[in-house]
Amino acid sequence: MTSLTDTPFNIAGRHFSSRLLVGTGKYKDFTETGAAVEQSGAEIVTFAVRRTNLGQETDAPNLLDVISPKRYTLLPNTAGCYTAKDAVRTCRLARELLDGHNLVKLEVLGDDTTLYPNVVETLKAAETLLEDGFDVMVYTSDDPIVARELEAMGCCAIMPLGSLIGSGHGIQNPHNIRLIVEQSRVPVLVDAGIGTASDAAMAMELGCDGVLLNSAIAHARDPLRMANAMKLAVEAGRDAFLSGRMPRRQSADPSTPFADRING
Amino acid sequence: MSTSNESIHLTLNGKPHSLAADATAADLVEQLGLSGRRIAVEINEQIVPKSQLADTHLTSGDQIEVVHAIGGG
């Protein structure tokens, strides 16, 4: 069998084999988190930074014991930040937490109903983080002009939403995602909104370089099986994109030749 | 024994917290039972690298954040 080649998937100068990035939120426990992440084949794994619960069991398991920084490329997020200032502080804390690792997922939210990105604050935060030496993968709206600005500033990956975070509504505006893909020279990943495997495949068929998702796996009835489905969907979507789909036609075109039929 | 010089009052993860007057950030981490744990410390919105915790003296009014990793997307 011929082995199929692909262009390398690089983020900030690092090479990755898997184009699926997964989060670690919403799982029932760390055991399930670890198993789902492993099943997904993801190499880049997101997490959040929060105040340590003081005065409680200090020997309680830590997420980073399950998702080891030695095995995975950890991607701290700035979820829950509504201002550029808080997002920058969070990234600096994360960098200290990870001994200087400087790849971050920047997200600055607009409100807690939509969790829609506040692009004004996102642009401000990106500028400060880039000056401070971070590699910034940025969660943003599916506005191609904002995406272009973020790329021009130096963000290492553009991550437009497919639909609202945690909504599972899939890709609501594939045309915008395609516009962003076509104009971008850094990787484009759909981040947010993926609900099931076909959504992830669609993102890849649109030409995205990768997909970042969390709830679609964590909130599936069987997270491990969905993790596997997402892995396959991202691979399938990528191959479908690279293979160049057939043109759509207005009328039928038989796959079986009409010639030499017995009914003359 | 008990003079106001012997303890300092600071804000730790948003809550009041008292410590001996000569305490360092490393002492605080130790007192919290977090030595050797994967945490990050910020004092007055400035990161304090692990290597500097023992040399960082705390003063009354300091705003301290101690954070760790949790699940997130």
Side-chain angles (χ1 to χ4, degrees), chain A residues 168-190:
Chain A
H169 283 168
I171 298 176
Q172 288 298 303
N173 194 339
H175 308 289
N176 275 26
I177 299 294
R178 192 191 299 276
L179 286 172
I180 293 171
V181 165
E182 285 172 357
Q183 75 181 14
S184 300
R185 275 164 295 182
V186 295
V188 176
L189 294 85
V190 165

Side-chain angles (χ1 to χ4, degrees), chain A residues 2 9 12 38 45 50 54-55 72-73 75 77 84-86 99 102 104 112 136 144 158 216 235 239-240 243:
Chain A
T2 316
F9 176 46
E38 183 165 18
V45 180
R50 287 291 181 274
L54 302 170
Y72 296 102
T73 295
L75 181 63
N77 70 25
K85 183 185 160 188
D86 282 350
D99 306 316
N102 61 8
V104 292
D112 58 10
V136 180
I158 306 299
E235 288 173 6
D239 271 342
S243 62

Side-chain angles (χ1 to χ4, degrees), chain A residues 172-255:
Chain A
Q172 288 298 303
N173 194 339
H175 308 289
N176 275 26
I177 299 294
R178 192 191 299 276
L179 286 172
I180 293 171
V181 165
E182 285 172 357
Q183 75 181 14
S184 300
R185 275 164 295 182
V186 295
V188 176
L189 294 85
V190 165
D191 175 6
I194 300 294
T196 189
S198 53
D199 298 333
M202 183 202 249
M204 299 308 292
E205 287 177 18
L206 288 167
C208 288
D209 298 278
V211 173
L212 199 171
L213 56 88
N214 187 151
S215 306
I217 296 177
H219 279 180
R221 186 164 39 81
D222 182 345
L224 258 58
R225 193 167 286 269
M226 186 58 91
N228 195 54
M230 289 302 183
K231 174 186 169 176
L232 297 173
V234 166
E235 288 173 6
R238 178 66 181 170
D239 271 342
F241 170 71
L242 292 175
S243 62
R245 60 152 298 148
M246 63 165 279
R248 289 180 171 85
R249 304 169 61 101
Q250 290 303 321
S251 54
D253 179 28
S255 299

Side-chain angles (χ1 to χ4, degrees), chain A residues 32-50:
Chain A
E32 188 182 71
T33 311
V37 169
E38 183 165 18
Q39 188 69 53
S40 76
E43 295 165 298
I44 303 177
V45 180
T46 63
F47 72 96
V49 175
R50 287 291 181 274

Side-chain angles (χ1 to χ4, degrees), chain B residues 36-58:
Chain B
R37 305 289 295 174
R38 204 175 258 281
I39 54 161
V41 178
E42 182 196 66
I43 300 178
N44 302 328
E45 301 188 8
Q46 296 295 316
I47 299 294
V48 182
K50 287 171 200 66
S51 59
Q52 290 172 28
L53 288 172
D55 300 324
T56 303
H57 288 271
L58 303 175

Side-chain angles (χ1 to χ4, degrees), chain A residues 54, chain B residues 7-25 27-28 31-32 42-44 56-66:
Chain A
L54 302 170
Chain B
S7 61
I8 51 174
H9 305 282
L10 31 82
T11 304
L12 173 62
N13 286 2
K15 291 180 184 152
H17 193 85
S18 298
L19 276 177
D22 58 351
T24 64
D27 295 333
L28 173 63
Q31 184 200 74
L32 296 171
E42 182 196 66
I43 300 178
N44 302 328
T56 303
H57 288 271
L58 303 175
T59 54
S60 271
D62 280 347
Q63 304 276 329
I64 303 178
E65 297 288 344
V66 179

